[in-house]
Amino acid sequence: MEINFKLILLSLLIIMSSYGELLAQRVGSKDAKREMGFSSDEDFNITSFPDKWKEESAVILCQKHDFSYIKHGLNKIKFNVIIRRRVFINDQKAKDEYSIFYFIERNGENDHVGYIVEKPDGEKINVDLSDAVEVGANEVSAEYRSYYSYNDSYKKIAIPNLEVGDIIDYYVIGSKSYDGSSELIFSQFSFSLASKYPIIKQKFFFNVDKGFKVNFRAFNGAPEIVEGEPGINKQGRQKDKIKTYIVEDDNRDKKKYEYWKSYTLEEPWIKFQVYYAMGSQATKSIQLISKEKDLVNSPIDLETIRKKIVLDKRMVTMAATDINELSKRLRKVGNVENKAEYIYYYLKYWYFKQLRSYTNFDYENGDYANINYMRFANLFAALLNKFDIPYKYVIAVDRDNGGFDNVIFTNDLTTGIKVKSKYFFYFDNNSLSTDIPSYILGTDAMEFYTDRKHKDEKAKMVKIPVRDYNYNALHSSLKVSFNESMDTTYIINSDSIVGSMKDGYSKLVLYKTSYLDQDKEYLFPEKVRKEKEEAARKSKNGTRKSKRSIRETQEKERTEAQEKQELKEWRSDYIIDFFENDFKIAKVDSVVVASSGRLPNSPYLLVNSYFRAEDFISKAGRNYIFNIGSLIGHQLELETEDMKREADINVTNVLSYNFNIELQIPDGYYVENVDALDYNIVSDLAEFTAKATIDGNIIRVNTSKKYKTLYASKDDWNKYIDFLEAAYEFSQKKIIIKKNK
Amino acid sequence: MKTQLITIILVLFSNILFAQIKLDPELIDLAIKMKKEFPKQEYVSLGTSSIYNFSYGDSTVECEELLEEKIMSLNENVTFYEYLIFNDQVDIGFVYMKNYKGRKRKLVVKKEKYKSNGIFYDDASVATFNMFLTTRGDNATYFVETKIKDVKYFTKAYFHKSYPIAEVSLVLNIPDWLELELVEENFDGYDIIKSESYNSKDKINTITYKLKKAEAMLGGNYTISAVQELPHLLILSKSYKKKGKTNTLFNSTQDLYDWYASLIKEMDNKPLVFKDKVESLTADAKTDKEKVENIFYWVQDNTRYIAYEDGIMGFKPANADDVYNKRFGDCKGMANLTCSMLKEAGFDARLTWIGTKSIPYTYATPSLAVDNHMITTLFLDGEKYFLDATEKGVALGQYAYRIQGQDVLIEDGESYILDSVPEFGDEYNIKKTIYKLSLIDDKLFGSAIEEFHGEEKTNLYRSLGNVSKSELFERVSKYVSNYDKSNGIADLHISNYSNRSKPIIFEYKIVVENKITAVDVEKYFSLELDRKFSSMNVEENRNLGYDFQQKVHNYYEVTLSLPANYIVDYMPDSVFIDNSEFLFDVKYIYNKEENKIKYTRKIIVKNGVVSSSNFDTWNGAINKLKEIYNDQIILIDNQ
């Protein structure tokens, strides 16, 4: 969500690269552009900064963003943006960072960018852009590239004579024309006022013509927007109908990074978006704009949100045959919730089938996608309507946005459907109907019927339920033994993963899984059974094969064997990924996905693997040391600076990691230091427990690490420190395997 | 519109069309056989041939290379990529392919600027094309014409590529009027067959080299340069006759120098631009050496290095004032600025050409392939100093590994001076780590000192140079803790960080936790905290040497004082391996009287290179080292 300066720059590059026409009515000749870029603005005379920032690599002395949205005649809209930044170079690192810039040359002109190096004695050196060289797009990092840039040529300029103690002052100007005969929605901006370097002064300036609407909100101590003097029209004249809005911010420390920090809820944050919508168009938009007001800078009422969001009803373009197929199957499904669930899976199957047919999306070979949340809610609602299943529409606020009072963009919200007590939200390749996006768990939501019968009913305010941490769990069962020479560890691992914990793992282990076949079999078991029988019958009765046909079959088999091998190698990454920080995996012998965990009758992703590892065991004379703690994987290492906490704790999801380790003690040996493996750090927020027992020649160690709540106050950080440190300490534990006396 | 439609249809059905190709069954069998032989390869070359023809150009001799190569796929749906580097002296002519049926097809060639680390104003560009092969055994032949505008830029011809080639042939059609000398480099151990034939009608001598079964060139981390190990032809363009007149190309070192000198004469340095700077840098210096240091270090610190190309571009240095104003330049520009500033200060400084360590030739070979770098030679008090301003952090009189021992060609008016840069032993680059620890309550407490000399120091200097002031101590703390939270660091002191002539030193206190396993009366632990070199096994199948880019001398020592009541029950074995390329000397010694354990580990790579012939011994040494690292000391409480 965070947009920094460079991302804004990126937006500019997009603007400039997609349209040849550059620079606005306010900018005429090359000199005028330059003058505007480096306008005589007193704020940009700052040359020093407070002592408290003397150890920083760079200090932003001043930065300004000037956005202008002006009408040109009846149906032409011009958008201009000027960004200027003045940075003090305080060490070698900053010098290196600001020594290179990339930009796009248009029409043989470089006049939309400018760079000045200012020396400590006040001498100003204009960087000669004719020295810029053309570079291949592959050299240009993402922050400077546009989405359409593959064939674009870029220019790269080295800032000459830049030294520590200098100031670099630079600007970028972008412009784009639009057809103003219909609604226009400009980019969303959502960013922290703090940057990776401290900022002495920054200003955001909006110059908007009649018909434009600005949605703006400031959070967490960020300054409010204020209306300024009337703005300037295309002829450069001040006009009352053109409004200006200004946000000014001073003396901003650099951004501080902490684990599980919600930056939108903690950092001084601003969001804004500009729309152009004349008259009745404003009411048609799904954006949260006001018909009456040009500036919205206070909470938007719930009714507006409700009306705007549900406005976007789209027709289901499902073919009649598909509807009939679904209808036939639904007759066999029991209650309303089950019917809704069936429709959910049918919709998912249908959607990805469509995606495969009409795009180059390779669903069966690991491409990953998800349906847009609004499209899902509207498609699903339309299907429920079709089959007379009553439902409520749900609008939830993403947790990082705080609550409805902070909503400004439709993207701040997630929509879904509720049938009886069951929630349904948008899906991806591997979603189950029970999945709820982690970022809306426990957040404010409104529920309401959309049919005419309930049109006068007010929306009901609810909280999206948070499930128990056991719902998002990894259960790993490890059987551990050693080779005869005791230098290799054999591990048979069975992982059972459920809930949101599956997200990362699924993408890795389900690569090249034929999802469509699975979905089809789940939805139409009879049909698939018959198809399989028919294929088997045909194959049995097949005519005698020609030599060529035999050769082709053999070649096909070889290809399949090769693909299988590639798949195995891909899945091996799953194991290596988990342990790579700790140990060298000598060989992954097998990784088998026993259950994909993507169907309602088998929600657990089950993965069985067998691998050998080096370095887990080390020798000590006649005895051996086994790093048993490492079997729970790499644990977070808190550093000294992490011990203090400034922000509240916002965990992504409630989670639990559970390991059941069974270690076979080799014949002729016994084990010591097992008692040291017991831990019991339990609080209401998180816990780490471990218990080890010896049972004959088996050591059993059960560990459990739980994140129990989504939110905790910074005052409770000690509870997190305790359990994280315990888990880390456990991961360092070793047992001694001793030769019998 | 019609063209567009056809294109779309072709794209839509291309898979189907390709899927229906009917290959000769023998080719499929061959592909299967080769897949077994080269399981990691996606494709092989069934043959590559380069034919070199020579013709008169406007003012010199042009060379044309006709490259033809047949690629066969060993997998399904394989894309073969080829990259061709070109620049202002080398043009790419035609590029096309013939498919498995011999039908000619166009190849889309994408040309863009060649990307390499930090290169700015470089002429090099890269042309890329690819061929898609649908099934195992599918094959296609590509044809490329390359034109070299001046034969003196045609310096080498190789046999090997990154994939196996069934047969390589290099054919040089040398006309009578052209004198070329072909030097066969690293041919020993390769069955390369040379044949010659003379066409008396055209007066062309055809020399052919053939190599069957050229292995894939497999490198990895720190790969030695191809010219150091692989067979290749070094091509010396001596002279040519035109209209009865003999024109010298590079017949001798003097010819090479004359050409370089002619480029230098074209420079137009304006020393006035940096006159004041030179004065300010030398004003307070007490000795000549100090003046030189001030200038040399200023150029190092204030001029950004732009990578030079190991190739044939840009032999003319940028003007010194231009480099001074911009504060960046390539090696030639930086050498020119250093040289010009020193001259401005009244010193005898000369531009100097040099080939870095990756080039095995000497100036006895008159070719542009001999060098790839430029430095400055300073004559001071009867001694020569070689100043390479691209080496950040190097002191006057110290030399980077890449130029040590290398031949230099020093400008001297109409003549030249040949010399070489002094070479230092491995101890010049010593990295020393010494811990003094005590065992208290299952933790190791103590102090440490780490010293970085030579190349180790400059490497560290360069990597820390990019750290902000506020991050420096944090970064160094993490580095000395080996990025291990269990190694707590305190009271860190950094010395000589900005003093080029002294080693960088880190001194700190350390507490090692979680490393001691205590059971009853026993304690188990290792004194190996950084496990250096444990992951340096050479990759399987690699056949190109390992070049550490410096001579390595790593010394690590831990002295552990034991509590009075503890005695040593067991200590890991020692390792001692010494051969012409490397030394591993690792040992634990217990001093009973002082009740101290001393662990020392010395690893030396004597010339900075492990040859491919020594890989097995090297991997054996690394495995032995890992055994020691994984082994643990046992102490027993004897009370």
Side-chain angles (χ1 to χ4, degrees):
Chain A
M1 292 293 280
E2 181 187 349
I3 294 180
N4 61 20
F5 173 78
K6 279 178 174 166
L7 286 180
I8 296 173
L9 196 66
L10 164 70
S11 314
L12 288 180
L13 290 174
I14 295 166
I15 293 161
M16 291 187 288
S17 63
S18 45
Y19 292 84
E21 191 183 356
L22 268 180
L23 300 170
Q25 75 290 347
R26 294 206 294 157
V27 187
S29 68
K30 193 169 176 170
D31 287 345
K33 288 169 204 164
R34 195 155 188 82
E35 194 181 308
M36 190 178 68
F38 289 124
S39 60
S40 51
D41 183 336
E42 283 192 1
D43 290 339
F44 281 87
N45 292 337
I46 305 171
T47 52
S48 59
F49 54 85
D51 254 15
K52 62 176 177 175
W53 292 332
K54 68 179 181 199
E55 293 299 313
E56 301 296 340
S57 277
V59 175
I60 298 164
L61 302 174
C62 187
Q63 66 176 16
K64 288 194 179 176
H65 298 65
D66 182 327
F67 303 95
S68 175
Y69 305 81
I70 298 291
K71 283 200 275 191
H72 254 227
L74 263 182
N75 284 328
K76 199 169 175 190
I77 303 291
K78 282 229 172 178
F79 167 59
N80 302 302
V81 55
I82 309 165
I83 297 172
R84 183 174 169 194
R85 207 175 209 204
R86 180 175 169 85
V87 185
F88 188 92
I89 307 298
N90 203 29
D91 68 12
Q92 186 67 28
K93 186 186 172 200
K95 182 184 147 185
D96 288 350
E97 183 180 340
Y98 287 98
S99 281
I100 299 171
F101 284 86
Y102 296 88
F103 59 90
I104 297 169
E105 183 183 64
R106 287 285 162 202
N107 306 328
E109 296 285 341
N110 297 326
D111 51 4
H112 56 279
V113 291
Y115 309 89
I116 285 179
V117 174
E118 199 172 309
K119 294 286 173 190
D121 63 3
E123 184 198 1
K124 290 184 181 178
I125 304 163
N126 239 313
V127 175
D128 183 359
L129 292 175
S130 65
D131 280 343
V133 289
E134 197 178 309
V135 291
N138 61 348
E139 186 180 335
V140 182
S141 64
E143 67 201 47
Y144 295 103
R145 288 175 74 162
S146 86
Y147 295 125
Y148 314 102
S149 66
Y150 192 75
N151 290 317
D152 272 331
S153 65
Y154 283 83
K155 284 283 181 106
K156 170 167 153 178
I157 182 77
I159 305 299
N161 202 358
L162 184 67
E163 292 172 300
V164 174
D166 289 351
I167 290 166
I168 180 154
D169 193 339
Y170 61 98
Y171 72 82
V172 183
I173 301 174
S175 173
K176 186 177 172 183
S177 295
Y178 298 90
D179 174 8
S181 59
S182 59
E183 178 197 27
L184 289 170
I185 305 156
F186 294 90
S187 301
Q188 291 179 2
F189 291 94
S190 173
F191 52 89
S192 168
L193 288 178
S195 152
K196 68 174 175 176
Y197 300 125
I199 303 167
I200 292 186
K201 193 173 212 24
Q202 57 185 329
K203 199 184 254 187
F204 298 84
F205 183 85
F206 302 88
N207 192 59
V208 291
D209 213 331
K210 194 178 172 190
F212 286 88
K213 316 274 181 189
V214 179
N215 276 15
F216 175 92
R217 292 296 302 281
F219 305 104
N220 317 321
E224 274 302 328
I225 199 165
V226 291
E227 193 168 339
E229 296 281 307
I232 298 161
N233 74 355
K234 61 179 180 179
Q235 283 89 18
R237 293 191 199 118
Q238 202 171 40
K239 290 280 173 189
D240 284 347
K241 66 171 185 171
I242 297 174
K243 296 197 167 169
T244 59
Y245 303 104
I246 302 152
V247 182
E248 279 189 81
D249 184 52
D250 296 334
N251 201 19
R252 186 61 67 189
D253 276 321
K254 73 172 176 184
K255 192 184 283 181
K256 185 167 186 247
Y257 296 91
E258 288 183 326
Y259 289 112
W260 302 298
K261 173 176 175 178
S262 170
Y263 291 89
T264 47
L265 296 180
E266 299 280 350
E267 293 278 327
W269 203 270
I270 63 173
K271 291 181 182 180
F272 67 86
Q273 187 164 26
V274 175
Y275 312 91
Y276 175 72
M278 288 297 278
S280 61
Q281 284 169 3
T283 56
K284 287 179 191 161
S285 167
I286 63 156
Q287 304 305 322
L288 302 174
I289 56 172
S290 161
K291 194 183 168 188
E292 293 78 26
K293 291 192 283 186
D294 291 337
L295 171 71
V296 174
N297 62 345
S298 56
I300 298 163
D301 68 90
L302 293 178
E303 261 320 282
T304 305
I305 291 174
R306 170 175 155 167
K307 277 180 190 159
K308 293 281 187 184
I309 299 298
V310 186
L311 204 66
D312 185 37
K313 273 195 174 173
R314 296 182 199 185
M315 293 301 292
V316 179
T317 49
M318 217 175 254
T321 48
D322 290 324
I323 295 285
N324 287 341
E325 193 177 39
L326 175 60
S327 174
K328 236 194 270 175
R329 281 289 305 164
L330 275 181
R331 278 182 221 137
K332 295 180 186 170
V333 181
N335 64 34
V336 166
E337 277 164 301
N338 290 347
K339 277 186 199 296
E341 183 184 279
Y342 191 88
I343 292 171
Y344 170 93
Y345 286 106
Y346 186 86
L347 179 60
K348 187 174 146 190
Y349 171 64
W350 174 84
Y351 176 77
F352 283 111
K353 211 166 68 168
Q354 298 288 308
L355 207 58
R356 190 180 64 167
S357 304
Y358 296 111
T359 68
N360 56 6
F361 177 78
D362 194 356
Y363 185 45
E364 298 194 43
N365 276 318
D367 279 5
Y368 175 87
N370 55 259
I371 185 171
N372 170 279
Y373 61 94
M374 264 195 218
R375 179 151 169 73
F376 164 77
N378 291 311
L379 278 170
F380 193 50
L383 281 174
L384 293 173
N385 272 336
K386 184 98 193 156
F387 294 104
D388 294 328
I389 296 170
Y391 66 89
K392 281 182 175 175
Y393 208 94
V394 182
I395 301 174
V397 188
D398 298 357
R399 198 160 63 244
D400 274 342
N401 292 312
F404 278 106
D405 275 359
N406 293 356
V407 167
I408 173 168
F409 313 133
T410 48
N411 273 5
D412 293 341
L413 304 161
T414 295
T415 55
I417 296 294
K418 190 177 181 187
V419 175
K420 290 207 158 177
S421 61
K422 195 168 174 182
Y423 289 95
F424 294 90
F425 286 93
Y426 71 92
F427 50 74
D428 62 26
N429 304 28
N430 302 317
S431 298
L432 292 177
S433 64
T434 47
D435 290 348
I436 298 177
S438 57
Y439 55 81
I440 57 166
L441 294 173
T443 62
D444 290 339
M446 58 173 133
E447 297 177 357
F448 49 87
Y449 289 102
T450 57
D451 55 11
R452 285 191 179 177
K453 203 167 80 185
H454 297 86
K455 72 178 168 46
D456 296 328
E457 266 183 32
K458 275 206 158 183
K460 187 180 163 194
M461 296 308 294
V462 293
K463 289 261 185 209
I464 299 291
V466 183
R467 290 199 180 86
D468 185 59
Y469 46 77
N470 287 319
Y471 183 79
N472 304 311
L474 162 72
H475 287 271
S476 202
S477 165
L478 299 125
K479 290 190 179 1
V480 182
S481 58
F482 307 104
N483 66 346
E484 248 181 63
S485 52
M486 297 284 283
D487 55 11
T488 302
T489 309
Y490 296 142
I491 297 173
I492 301 170
N493 181 23
S494 302
D495 286 338
S496 165
I497 309 158
V498 72
S500 72
M501 191 79 90
K502 280 187 293 187
D503 294 350
Y505 293 108
S506 292
K507 281 180 202 163
L508 204 54
V509 292
L510 298 182
Y511 174 69
K512 285 207 170 184
T513 301
S514 178
Y515 306 108
L516 280 182
D517 287 352
Q518 273 189 9
D519 291 349
K520 189 176 171 186
E521 195 161 359
Y522 167 73
L523 290 162
F524 313 108
E526 278 299 300
K527 191 175 167 184
V528 172
R529 188 178 57 76
K530 280 181 188 163
E531 280 171 4
K532 279 183 181 169
E533 283 173 3
E534 180 67 9
R537 193 178 55 76
K538 271 187 184 166
S539 151
K540 204 174 168 186
N541 301 339
T543 49
R544 208 163 147 254
K545 286 178 175 172
S546 65
K547 269 188 183 174
R548 180 178 286 280
S549 165
I550 291 168
R551 182 179 284 283
E552 279 170 2
T553 311
Q554 284 171 346
E555 180 55 17
K556 196 180 161 203
E557 282 168 3
R558 269 195 290 270
T559 309
E560 282 170 1
Q562 189 192 327
E563 278 178 358
K564 224 172 169 178
Q565 179 59 30
E566 282 168 9
L567 196 56
K568 190 182 153 190
E569 282 170 16
W570 179 269
R571 287 183 179 160
S572 297
D573 292 347
Y574 162 77
I575 301 296
I576 292 161
D577 221 33
F578 190 82
F579 288 104
E580 71 178 353
N581 282 325
D582 302 291
F583 293 99
K584 191 181 169 200
I585 304 295
K587 187 167 193 287
V588 177
D589 292 275
S590 75
V591 184
V592 175
V593 180
S595 170
S596 68
R598 49 184 304 285
L599 295 171
N601 47 14
S602 53
Y604 289 84
L605 170 66
L606 303 177
V607 185
N608 300 323
S609 53
Y610 174 51
F611 61 98
R612 290 172 247 177
E614 288 176 352
D615 302 347
F616 268 103
I617 191 154
S618 46
K619 202 168 136 275
R622 288 165 10 110
N623 306 328
Y624 294 92
I625 315 266
F626 182 63
N627 295 6
I628 195 161
S630 299
L631 288 170
I632 67 165
H634 186 75
Q635 298 297 305
L636 185 69
E637 296 180 25
L638 293 176
E639 302 290 342
T640 319
E641 63 268 22
D642 300 321
M643 298 301 170
K644 282 186 208 151
R645 186 82 192 181
E646 287 181 10
D648 286 341
I649 301 136
N650 274 280
V651 178
T652 320
N653 209 335
V654 288
L655 302 164
S656 80
Y657 296 86
N658 308 282
F659 289 86
N660 302 316
I661 300 162
E662 267 187 33
L663 181 124
Q664 175 96 34
I665 304 168
D667 288 345
Y669 289 86
Y670 66 101
V671 172
E672 286 189 340
N673 206 35
V674 174
D675 295 348
L677 302 177
D678 288 356
Y679 280 84
N680 192 33
I681 307 296
V682 179
S683 77
D684 52 332
L685 305 175
E687 69 178 58
F688 178 74
T689 60
K691 181 78 194 155
T693 53
I694 300 181
D695 182 5
N697 64 344
I698 304 272
I699 301 175
R700 290 201 169 82
V701 186
N702 296 329
T703 71
S704 183
K705 186 182 181 191
K706 293 176 180 131
Y707 295 84
K708 294 176 173 175
T709 63
L710 290 168
Y711 169 82
S713 159
K714 62 184 174 189
D715 300 333
D716 283 328
W717 180 235
N718 276 341
K719 292 179 181 174
Y720 282 86
I721 292 177
D722 290 348
F723 107 105
L724 292 168
E725 290 286 84
Y728 170 75
E729 206 177 287
F730 179 88
S731 73
Q732 304 294 308
K733 288 288 176 193
K734 298 161 186 80
I735 54 169
I736 316 287
I737 303 173
K738 283 185 150 182
K739 198 111 182 157
N740 286 338
K741 284 165 188 164
Chain B
M1 191 62 198
K2 195 176 174 187
T3 320
Q4 278 178 12
L5 195 66
I6 290 165
T7 316
I8 291 162
I9 291 168
L10 271 177
V11 171
L12 282 173
F13 292 98
S14 57
N15 284 338
I16 299 164
L17 290 174
F18 282 129
Q20 287 175 339
I21 69 169
K22 303 288 181 213
L23 289 171
D24 181 346
E26 280 178 17
L27 269 177
I28 298 176
D29 288 341
L30 176 66
I32 292 164
K33 203 177 125 198
M34 295 195 92
K35 184 71 192 173
K36 277 184 190 152
E37 198 178 343
F38 308 109
K40 296 265 175 192
Q41 295 290 340
E42 288 209 305
Y43 49 78
V44 293
S45 167
L46 297 178
T48 175
S49 115
S50 289
I51 299 169
Y52 299 93
N53 298 315
F54 303 89
S55 57
Y56 289 123
D58 289 341
S59 57
T60 181
V61 178
E62 291 178 354
C63 171
E64 164 199 68
E65 180 194 2
L66 301 171
L67 168 65
E68 176 181 340
E69 180 163 41
K70 186 174 190 176
I71 299 294
M72 180 174 74
S73 170
L74 304 186
N75 285 357
E76 305 297 307
N77 301 330
V78 166
T79 307
F80 165 82
Y81 292 93
E82 181 64 318
Y83 305 87
L84 310 160
I85 302 290
F86 64 99
N87 53 58
D88 60 341
Q89 291 296 332
V90 181
D91 274 345
I92 308 290
F94 60 70
V95 181
Y96 65 89
M97 65 172 272
K98 286 183 179 175
N99 72 3
Y100 73 106
K101 283 182 177 172
R103 287 194 188 144
K104 197 170 166 180
R105 297 270 184 266
K106 268 190 177 175
L107 277 172
V108 178
V109 181
K110 189 168 178 265
K111 293 182 179 178
E112 60 180 12
K113 286 284 171 188
Y114 181 66
K115 187 198 170 191
S116 177
N117 275 346
I119 290 181
F120 255 83
Y121 306 123
D122 188 337
D123 294 332
S125 295
V126 62
T128 54
F129 64 84
N130 63 65
M131 301 192 297
F132 186 68
L133 303 169
T134 57
T135 61
R136 187 174 296 185
D138 187 7
N139 57 83
T141 306
Y142 69 86
F143 301 81
V144 176
E145 179 197 37
T146 307
K147 289 174 182 169
I148 302 168
K149 292 176 189 167
D150 186 338
V151 72
K152 63 174 173 281
Y153 292 103
F154 173 44
T155 56
K156 282 171 286 196
Y158 293 97
F159 293 87
H160 291 79
K161 293 191 178 184
S162 60
Y163 44 86
I165 310 172
E167 184 177 270
V168 186
S169 73
L170 304 178
V171 182
L172 292 101
N173 294 317
I174 307 167
D176 277 0
W177 50 264
L178 177 65
E179 190 193 350
L180 286 189
E181 184 187 336
L182 306 179
V183 185
E184 297 167 0
E185 295 279 352
N186 305 333
F187 272 39
D188 286 352
Y190 293 91
D191 191 15
I192 298 169
I193 296 163
K194 180 184 175 186
S195 61
E196 268 185 77
S197 64
Y198 185 71
N199 180 335
S200 51
K201 189 184 158 206
D202 296 332
K203 295 185 178 170
I204 286 177
N205 186 30
T206 299
I207 303 176
T208 305
Y209 288 90
K210 278 189 193 292
L211 171 64
K212 287 197 170 166
K213 287 195 172 177
E215 278 181 280
M217 212 166 56
L218 295 175
N221 296 328
Y222 302 108
T223 302
I224 203 163
S225 75
V227 285
Q228 284 172 283
E229 279 201 350
L230 289 175
H232 60 278
L233 284 177
L234 183 61
I235 292 132
L236 307 181
S237 305
K238 299 265 178 178
S239 65
Y240 68 98
K241 285 180 189 151
K242 194 174 180 184
K243 293 177 183 167
K245 189 188 158 206
T246 300
N247 299 282
T248 305
L249 292 162
F250 293 143
N251 201 22
S252 64
T253 310
Q254 182 68 46
D255 297 333
L256 183 67
Y257 175 74
D258 287 347
W259 188 68
Y260 284 162
S262 71
L263 296 175
I264 288 176
K265 278 180 193 152
E266 289 175 22
M267 293 186 321
D268 182 20
N269 293 329
K270 295 182 183 69
L272 257 182
V273 172
F274 42 80
K275 191 173 185 294
D276 290 349
K277 178 52 94 180
V278 171
E279 273 174 18
S280 74
L281 286 169
T282 52
D284 298 331
K286 292 181 185 71
T287 62
D288 279 353
K289 204 170 171 192
E290 205 178 317
K291 285 180 185 174
V292 172
E293 281 174 340
N294 289 353
I295 291 171
F296 180 39
Y297 299 161
W298 184 88
V299 179
Q300 274 186 34
D301 292 343
N302 293 282
T303 316
R304 287 181 56 220
Y305 170 57
I306 296 163
Y308 62 91
E309 257 306 298
D310 181 2
I312 49 181
M313 286 80 62
F315 287 84
K316 185 183 156 191
N319 292 334
D321 47 292
D322 198 32
V323 179
Y324 176 81
N325 282 332
K326 286 180 173 162
R327 300 287 202 272
F328 56 77
D330 67 358
C331 65
K332 301 181 296 294
M334 288 173 77
N336 188 21
L337 178 61
T338 312
C339 190
S340 303
M341 287 178 88
L342 287 170
K343 281 181 182 168
E344 183 61 28
F347 293 100
D348 180 3
R350 323 268 183 98
L351 287 178
T352 302
W353 293 262
I354 183 170
T356 54
K357 275 265 199 278
S358 60
I359 294 180
Y361 322 122
T362 67
Y363 277 103
T365 311
S367 161
L368 293 181
V370 172
D371 49 37
N372 60 349
H373 193 31
M374 186 181 263
I375 57 176
T376 302
T377 303
L378 169 79
F379 293 76
L380 183 66
D381 301 333
E383 278 188 58
K384 289 193 198 85
Y385 292 89
F386 302 100
L387 279 58
D388 183 352
T390 65
E391 288 288 344
K392 303 278 182 211
V394 163
L396 183 68
Q398 293 184 353
Y399 305 116
Y401 165 76
R402 65 181 186 143
I403 63 166
Q404 282 179 33
Q406 296 299 102
D407 267 14
V408 285
L409 181 78
I410 305 166
E411 67 165 325
D412 192 25
E414 296 302 312
S415 184
Y416 60 89
I417 301 166
L418 273 184
D419 205 330
S420 61
V421 177
E423 178 138 25
F424 305 122
D426 53 72
E427 63 283 354
Y428 176 78
N429 298 326
I430 193 165
K431 157 76 201 299
K432 203 188 281 181
T433 309
I434 294 174
Y435 290 101
K436 294 203 184 309
L437 302 174
S438 301
L439 173 65
I440 307 166
D441 295 338
D442 297 341
K443 289 177 188 170
L444 300 174
F445 288 86
S447 60
I449 179 160
E450 296 194 31
E451 281 182 23
F452 301 78
H453 298 251
E455 208 82 18
E456 291 284 348
K457 175 198 151 89
T458 43
N459 287 340
L460 186 72
Y461 180 82
R462 274 174 229 143
S463 73
L464 291 178
N466 288 327
V467 176
S468 71
K469 287 176 185 173
S470 57
E471 283 170 334
L472 179 64
F473 275 76
E474 192 189 324
R475 277 279 294 274
V476 174
S477 282
K478 283 196 174 148
Y479 171 82
V480 296
S481 76
N482 297 308
Y483 303 94
D484 186 340
K485 174 182 157 65
S486 296
N487 299 333
I489 305 297
D491 298 343
L492 172 67
H493 183 72
I494 301 171
S495 306
N496 305 331
Y497 176 60
S498 311
N499 187 341
R500 284 171 174 80
S501 54
K502 289 186 175 170
I504 295 180
I505 297 172
F506 299 150
E507 289 167 279
Y508 52 90
K509 298 245 163 43
I510 184 166
V511 183
V512 181
E513 294 181 81
N514 296 314
K515 297 286 193 257
I516 295 177
T517 308
V519 183
D520 292 338
V521 294
E522 295 170 343
K523 290 190 191 299
Y524 293 77
F525 59 94
S526 169
L527 291 178
E528 180 55 63
L529 297 181
D530 72 5
R531 297 175 68 88
K532 277 267 156 36
F533 290 83
S534 61
S535 59
M536 296 199 94
N537 283 87
V538 173
E539 305 90 328
E540 208 183 333
N541 296 327
R542 174 167 171 164
N543 52 17
L544 283 176
Y546 202 111
D547 184 355
F548 284 81
Q549 315 280 334
Q550 68 172 70
K551 289 175 186 170
V552 177
H553 188 127
N554 193 286
Y555 180 73
Y556 177 92
E557 176 189 302
V558 184
T559 307
L560 177 69
S561 303
L562 303 178
N565 50 325
Y566 275 89
I567 55 162
V568 173
D569 181 48
Y570 171 81
M571 289 196 310
D573 286 343
S574 299
V575 180
F576 185 80
I577 296 164
D578 188 12
N579 61 36
S580 61
E581 291 195 327
F582 49 84
L583 168 100
F584 284 69
D585 184 3
V586 188
K587 53 181 176 270
Y588 279 89
I589 296 167
Y590 177 46
N591 182 331
K592 214 170 176 180
E593 281 154 24
E594 293 182 14
N595 205 21
K596 282 182 180 173
I597 298 173
K598 189 172 180 184
Y599 168 62
T600 56
R601 184 193 71 208
K602 189 194 278 182
I603 296 172
I604 296 174
V605 184
K606 296 171 183 173
N607 290 309
V609 169
V610 178
S611 323
S612 51
S613 59
N614 229 345
F615 281 171
D616 287 345
T617 326
W618 172 266
N619 280 346
I622 297 292
N623 289 340
K624 196 78 196 148
L625 190 69
K626 282 200 290 195
E627 267 179 40
I628 301 281
Y629 287 177
N630 285 341
D631 206 350
Q632 308 246 329
I633 298 167
I634 307 175
L635 301 183
I636 292 184
D637 188 343
N638 63 355
Q639 284 182 347

